[in-house]
Amino acid sequence: MAKDIVEKLEVTLISIWAFDNSLSKITCTYSFDVFHKLNMSGAELTKQQYPRYFSSIIENISILADDVYTNYQTKELVEDYFEPNNIKSLLDYVIYKDLRPQAVICCETVGTKRVWKTSDVEYLRALTVLAGSKLSF
């Protein structure tokens, strides 16, 4: 699935981040980097550290950031996450199972910015629906 997403969305990094039971932490459970330089597996982000991101992703189901450095929903992650990994753009979408957020699929560009299209969001939404019905978390 990751390779299909990379090709379809023209991204360089795909990762899946699982929520804990209280929805206050996400842990990267899968990471695929086209350049094989980054492995986000095991990384954690907490609601306490990044409250704006967590509120945004849970309330809006997705985050679309052409520029993670200036986007209100993502800029609190710049210093700790985006700058060290040279990430410029992202498209995140929540995977639900039984009407509960289970994970976030994160599509990112490393080194270059990306302008997201409506079709990109629709494609990723369709994949999250499929993932929520097929995968176990």
Side-chain angles (χ1 to χ4, degrees), residues 59-123:
E59 291 172 17
N60 300 316
I61 303 172
S62 66
I63 294 178
L64 177 102
D66 295 339
D67 182 349
V68 295
Y69 290 78
T70 60
N71 183 287
Y72 175 79
Q73 299 166 308
T74 59
K75 65 183 181 180
E76 68 187 357
L77 291 149
V78 168
E79 187 176 319
D80 297 334
Y81 181 74
F82 297 129
E83 276 184 345
N85 297 307
N86 197 25
I87 295 167
K88 305 296 184 186
S89 300
L90 74 73
L91 173 57
D92 285 4
Y93 217 104
V94 175
I95 300 170
Y96 279 83
K97 184 170 183 126
D98 300 326
L99 303 175
R100 180 166 166 70
Q102 298 295 311
V104 176
I105 186 164
C106 187
C107 304
E108 297 167 318
T109 61
V110 175
T112 59
K113 290 181 187 172
R114 169 73 195 276
V115 176
W116 303 102
K117 299 177 279 190
T118 303
S119 59
D120 299 330
V121 178
E122 291 171 358
Y123 173 77

